[in-house]
Amino acid sequence: MPPLADWSDYDALLRGPHWPAFDALNALRHDGSLQCFAAQDHALLADGLHYEQRIAERGVIATRERNWHDLFNALVWLRYPALKQALNRRQVEEIARMGPRERSRSQCAMTHFDEAGVIVRVADPSLLVLWDAHDWYELFWRERAAWQDGRIDVAVFGHALLEHALTPGKLLVGKALVVAADRATAWESIVAALAERIAFGELLRDPLELRPLPLSGIPGWHPDNGEEAFHHEAPCYQPLRAGRRYPVALALPI
C-alpha cells in the first residue's frame, strides 16, 4: 500500500533479514562524492557540530542505528539528493543568521517539508479549486478517478510520513508543494526546479506556503477509503480555517 509501495526499489533494505548496514546505504549513492551516512555515536558527536553543519562541512549525515525515522531519512537522501542538499544549504544559512537556539519561520517551513513534505503535480486546475476550499468529499470521492488517471499525482518526500506509514490504518497528512504541470511532465524536471528554488531562498520561506493534503483520502492509501462514508467523517479532513489562503501552484518552467 502507498506510500511505502512507491519505495519498493529499496525493498532489499526495508524487507531484508538484517538491519541495513551503513556500507549498504553508502553503496547506493549515485555519486561517491555525495554526503555519506555514519553512525550517530559519541565519537561522531564529539566534533561539536550542529547536525546540519556537519552535513555541510564534513559531508556526514549522522544516522541512528536501528531507527526507522533515520533509515527513511537516508532513503530520501538517496532518492532526492538535490532537494536534501538544497534544504541543508538553507538550514546552514539560517543557523548562521539566527544562531543554533532560535528558529526562523523559514527554518520551520523547511523542517515541515523535510519531515512531512509531499510534491503534488496537478494537471487539472479544477482540482485546485476543490483543494483550496477543503472540499475533501469532492476532491477524494467525486474526483476519485483523478488520482488514478494522472490529473493529480503525488510523490512523498517527508521521511516522517514514511515512518508513520508503517502503522497500518494510520491517517496521514502531508505538507504539500504544488506544481501545475501536465501529466507528461517528468518528475525529474519538477524535482530539479524545486531544488533550485529552495536553494536560492525562493521557496519555503514560511510554513504557510505549504498546503495540507490528507493523503489517506487517495485511493489505495487507506484501507477504508473505498467507502463513501470515510470521506464524510475521516478526522484527517479538517475544515478550512477562516482567512486561510494558499499560494498559487508553481508553473513549469519555474
Side-chain angles (χ1 to χ4, degrees):
M1 180 177 293
L4 294 178
D6 297 333
W7 291 73
S8 59
D9 44 341
Y10 295 106
D11 271 358
L13 295 175
L14 294 171
R15 302 180 186 276
H18 305 291
W19 194 265
F22 290 107
D23 286 347
L25 292 172
N26 287 323
L28 292 175
R29 293 177 298 158
H30 299 298
D31 180 347
S33 67
L34 293 176
Q35 290 85 350
C36 67
F37 309 101
Q40 181 175 300
D41 54 22
H42 292 300
L44 181 68
L45 298 180
D47 62 16
L49 293 173
H50 186 283
Y51 171 84
E52 300 286 356
Q53 291 172 318
R54 184 179 298 107
I55 294 172
E57 296 178 20
R58 295 182 52 194
V60 176
I61 303 163
T63 304
R64 291 169 292 183
E65 297 185 84
R66 305 190 66 81
N67 182 284
W68 282 109
H69 189 87
D70 285 13
L71 176 58
F72 282 122
N73 183 53
L75 298 188
V76 176
W77 268 99
L78 293 172
R79 178 173 284 186
Y80 297 116
L83 275 175
K84 294 291 270 187
Q85 288 170 331
L87 290 171
N88 174 250
R89 168 177 164 172
R90 287 271 309 286
Q91 288 281 14
V92 169
E93 290 172 353
E94 289 297 290
I95 291 168
R97 187 174 71 87
M98 300 290 296
R101 290 191 172 85
E102 301 293 330
R103 291 177 64 79
S104 65
R105 290 190 65 79
S106 179
Q107 284 175 289
C108 290
M110 290 186 286
T111 299
H112 289 173
F113 185 66
D114 195 29
E115 296 283 346
V118 294
I119 303 166
V120 184
R121 179 182 62 194
V122 182
D124 182 348
S126 70
L127 300 172
L128 278 176
V129 176
L130 300 176
W131 192 355
D132 282 344
H134 284 210
D135 192 343
W136 307 123
Y137 177 81
E138 292 287 336
L139 182 63
F140 289 109
W141 183 250
R142 291 283 180 82
E143 291 288 357
R144 192 169 178 81
W147 298 93
Q148 299 165 314
D149 63 21
R151 282 180 286 151
I152 186 167
D153 226 350
V154 178
V156 171
F157 175 77
H159 54 282
L161 280 178
L162 295 171
E163 181 190 16
H164 292 325
L166 293 171
T167 304
K170 189 175 183 66
L171 295 170
L172 303 176
V173 178
K175 303 281 189 176
L177 285 177
V178 186
V179 174
D182 64 52
R183 65 191 80 184
T185 304
W187 277 105
E188 290 80 5
S189 63
I190 291 173
V191 169
L194 291 177
E196 183 177 7
R197 292 284 298 273
I198 291 169
F200 288 99
E202 298 170 18
L203 277 179
L204 299 181
R205 294 171 295 188
D206 192 282
L208 294 179
E209 292 177 36
L210 294 164
R211 292 164 171 255
L213 181 67
L215 298 170
S216 293
I218 301 173
W221 286 50
H222 190 278
D224 299 332
N225 74 18
E227 301 295 328
E228 185 176 6
F230 177 92
H231 304 278
H232 284 300
E233 60 193 32
C236 59
Y237 291 160
Q238 293 296 307
L240 183 66
R241 295 202 316 268
R244 181 72 160 99
R245 297 291 182 270
Y246 297 115
V248 298
L250 300 163
L252 286 180
I254 56 176

